[in-house]
Amino acid sequence: MADKPFPAYEGDDPYFFVSYAHEDAALVYPEMAWLEPSGFNLWYDDGIHVGTVWRQALADALSKSSGLIFFATAKSVESSNCLKELNFVLDEEKPVFVVQIDDTPLPSLLRLSLSDRQALVKSKYDPHTYQSRLIGALSTVVPPVVRKASGTAPKSSMSKIKTDPPSIAILPLTCLGGDKELGYLAQGITGDLIAKLSQRIWHIVAGQAEDVALEPREVGEKRGVRYLVSGTLQKGGDRIRVTARVTIAATGQEIWAKRYERSGEDFLDIQDRLSNSIEVDLFDPIMTAEEQRLRHVPDEELDAWGLCARSRGLPVVDRASRDRVRGLLELAIRRDPNFAFAHSVYAMVLSTLIYNQFTRNIEEDRKTVVDHANTALRLAPNNLLVLEQVSFAHRICGDLDHALHLAQRAADASGRPGNTLASALLLRGRFEEALEIGRDSNESATAGTMVMAALAAGRKDEALEWARRGTTEYPQNFLYWVYLAAVQGAQGRIDQAKESVLRARDIVPTFTLELFEKGMRIAWRGKDEVIDPVMDGLRKLELD
């Protein structure tokens, strides 16, 4: 029998009853060991004292619990004691959370008893996503409490620095108006955001209705989170407006806000579009806030997450900055070899350096990219960010069919086909399908990919629209000015195209047609049907 992780909870605060088969202690105790410090009080059969009547102690513990966590395995689904505990809780109409820690399917009778309660299958998720999903589910019943640390690990020891991605509470949207359907829409968007963000690398906590009236610092302390996502929802005619915000819990500082408007009669479609847009837009402000939070912490004291965040904020402009970024990511991997995000970011960054012709040994670095991409996928096979980043890495350096497969999986997981899938389709010659993604979900597809797809498909007017959009939204990105020049050149607007090239050279004075084409051939794997329409437009300009 494995050693018990901690004494069972005794007290008057809310707690969960843990149901499991004794033979599974070696599997279940490690789950309890991370769940209890996450802020949940747990009662299990360690809490039955000598001399206590066994059945009565179990009945009392079940009756007073806020819900039951059932760790389902081949042994526990056949255990009469576990089934009795389940039936007792179901009779009292308490919440039941089923966690399948092996791949044993639930028996039909048990599935019938659990009705619409969905099981969380551990093997479907990487460790970070799995833990976030379970925490998020339990938080809908009992908000987690902040545990006081028992001590501080020595910062000089890399092995003692725990990887700690940001924690975020998703608060219920506030409806401005008494429309009942609007309330359902608010609940749907909030639930979608919790589910979608849990597929990233962050720790997501479901906020409660009472949190909305509290000060940010109070919510942060109560839920044990760094950031709060909140917002309002209102309706005017057939238009729905959401204003979303991100706040630093400890200070109350609002670091991002954006207003979204959608129209239509299909609330489910509006819910999908709003939650997709907000989920995509949240990434940058939270990552930027993390970079700022850690900016004064020395590299040797940063965890793997912090090193990844720091590398993101550093531009690569010369060999020294290139080596600095690579060094940070290599240190992150050494610090936590099982942190999938560090491997996938390293693979993605190194891929970018390769097609920007900024590596020492391209063939050796290609192999390094694929090795780290595959390691990330092994560690986190269902994490959305990992899927997208590994797809990108394989698109540049690995297997193109695998890149497309991973991009499709990422699109299925997120519910929104975005730029990762559009780029993979473009590289496989499926230009119209790539364009459809941009037309249908233009908030998640980059203008650059759409320019190339439109030119490859012979749609020059559409390519011009996308190129202009790129230069409007990202005027300091020289690539968009080059793409605009390529489209203008293809349309015979030579003077305008040359002006666009001058804008590009203002941003990157070293731009030459020769270097650009070399990078294009690396980035797009020498696919003439993708590269030539861009290069043909630029060659008409007879650049130096």
Side-chain angles (χ1 to χ4, degrees), residues 407-472:
Q408 186 63 65
R409 282 181 55 195
D412 292 342
S414 66
R416 50 169 179 80
N419 195 66
T420 302
L421 181 56
S423 298
L425 289 168
L426 173 59
L427 200 51
R428 301 314 279 156
R430 295 159 64 174
F431 309 134
E432 291 293 343
E433 292 176 68
L435 283 170
E436 282 302 316
I437 290 174
R439 295 168 188 150
D440 292 343
S441 56
N442 54 25
E443 290 156 337
S444 57
T446 68
T449 301
M450 292 300 105
V451 169
M452 297 186 70
L455 283 176
R459 300 180 179 275
K460 295 178 183 179
D461 290 341
E462 185 173 357
L464 184 62
E465 291 178 12
W466 280 105
R468 284 176 172 163
R469 171 176 166 171
T471 56
T472 300

Side-chain angles (χ1 to χ4, degrees), residues 26 88 118 120 129 240 311 432 443-444 446:
F88 186 100
Q118 189 171 0
L120 177 63
T129 303
I240 299 294
S311 72
E432 291 293 343
E443 290 156 337
S444 57
T446 68

Side-chain angles (χ1 to χ4, degrees), residues 128-139:
H128 290 286
T129 303
Y130 158 68
Q131 292 181 7
S132 292
R133 288 210 162 197
L134 183 53
I135 289 170
L138 298 178
S139 298

Side-chain angles (χ1 to χ4, degrees), residues 2-170:
D3 293 336
K4 294 179 178 180
F6 50 80
Y9 177 74
E10 293 184 10
D12 298 325
D13 291 332
Y15 65 86
F16 289 101
F17 185 106
V18 178
S19 178
Y20 68 102
H22 284 187
E23 299 93 326
D24 292 327
L27 292 174
V28 173
Y29 285 174
E31 303 296 328
M32 295 166 58
W34 70 258
L35 192 56
E36 195 271 346
S38 298
F40 300 101
N41 298 319
L42 303 177
W43 191 100
Y44 63 114
D45 53 14
D46 173 68
I48 300 177
H49 299 295
V50 176
T52 304
V53 178
W54 185 272
R55 289 181 183 274
Q56 187 59 52
L58 286 174
D60 290 344
L62 287 164
S63 292
K64 294 175 183 177
S65 70
S66 298
L68 181 139
I69 304 171
F70 175 49
F71 285 104
T73 65
K75 294 183 176 66
S76 66
V77 297
E78 300 294 336
S79 166
S80 60
N81 288 330
C82 289
L83 294 178
K84 288 175 183 176
E85 292 163 359
L86 272 171
N87 289 329
F88 186 100
V89 169
L90 291 171
D91 287 344
E92 294 208 351
E93 298 184 346
K94 291 180 181 288
V96 175
F97 300 91
V98 182
V99 182
Q100 288 186 248
I101 52 178
D102 66 13
D103 292 326
T104 301
L106 298 180
S108 55
L109 184 59
L110 185 55
R111 292 202 308 272
L112 180 63
S113 299
L114 292 171
S115 183
D116 60 350
R117 293 166 176 82
Q118 189 171 0
L120 177 63
V121 183
K122 182 179 179 180
S123 62
K124 287 187 176 181
Y125 305 96
D126 65 275
H128 290 286
T129 303
Y130 158 68
Q131 292 181 7
S132 292
R133 288 210 162 197
L134 183 53
I135 289 170
L138 298 178
S139 298
T140 62
V141 175
V142 176
V145 297
V146 181
R147 306 292 193 198
K148 292 183 179 179
S150 58
T152 303
K155 291 185 177 180
S156 60
S157 173
M158 285 197 297
S159 63
K160 297 295 183 182
I161 301 179
K162 179 179 180 293
T163 299
D164 186 24
S167 50
I168 308 165
I170 312 298

Side-chain angles (χ1 to χ4, degrees), residues 287-288 291 307-316 325 328:
M287 287 296 294
T288 301
E291 294 164 21
L307 291 163
C308 291
R310 174 159 294 171
S311 72
R312 178 182 180 272
L314 297 176
V316 177
V325 169
L328 287 170

